[in-house]
Amino acid sequence: MTSEQALSISLGLQGPCVIARLTGDFDFGSAAEVRDRVTKALDLTQPPMLVIDMQAVSVCDSSGLSVLVYLHKAVTASGGRLLLAGLNGRCKHLFAITALDKFFDIRTTAELAIAELSADGNSPPFTG
């Protein structure tokens, strides 16, 4: 027996990063809302720097994965970066068996991801 947990989305801005913290079931019922709300939030930073914290995601299905791929493509097409953070056991296993752990940049915690993108955002645009 499974228990469904409605997804909540917390969006914030920390330095040059948009932070999306997801809690609950990231599935068909919540995927469109995540896509729409996070896409709108990407306008807050240019280029977009996005951290999606999935530490409190209990379930992620193919709809959730599809949204993550969509967001990754949108962010990288705009010259930005997307980091996933905090994948737990079930989600981590799903990413491994679908080989999406090779496609996405994944960090163990949102704090590490934010620090990395903040350092990228503070670096000069050209070196040399």
Side-chain angles (χ1 to χ4, degrees), residues 47-105:
M49 299 291 179
L50 175 61
V51 173
I52 301 177
D53 183 357
M54 296 183 57
Q55 182 176 355
V57 171
S58 49
V59 172
C60 183
D61 71 4
S62 61
S63 299
L65 294 178
S66 177
V67 167
L68 294 174
V69 170
Y70 168 85
L71 291 170
H72 183 275
K73 289 181 179 182
V75 166
T76 56
S78 298
R81 286 187 67 200
L82 179 150
L83 296 179
L84 297 180
L87 293 180
N88 59 37
R90 291 178 77 181
C91 288
K92 193 173 189 176
H93 179 71
L94 178 63
F95 275 73
I97 64 172
T98 58
L100 286 173
D101 59 344
K102 308 290 187 254
F103 178 77
F104 286 100
D105 287 328

Side-chain angles (χ1 to χ4, degrees), residues 3 9 28 43 45 49 69 86 106 115 126:
S3 62
I9 308 162
F28 179 78
D43 292 337
T45 63
M49 299 291 179
V69 170
I106 301 171
F126 301 103

Side-chain angles (χ1 to χ4, degrees), residues 1 15-16 26 30 37 39 46 48 69 71 77 79 88 96 109 121:
M1 175 180 248
F26 188 14
S30 59
R37 288 186 59 195
T39 299
Q46 288 302 320
V69 170
L71 291 170
N88 59 37
T109 67

Side-chain angles (χ1 to χ4, degrees), residues 98-123:
T98 58
L100 286 173
D101 59 344
K102 308 290 187 254
F103 178 77
F104 286 100
D105 287 328
I106 301 171
R107 302 298 177 265
T108 54
T109 67
E111 291 72 23
L112 287 173
I114 293 164
E116 182 176 330
L117 291 184
S118 294
D120 288 352
N122 292 331
S123 61

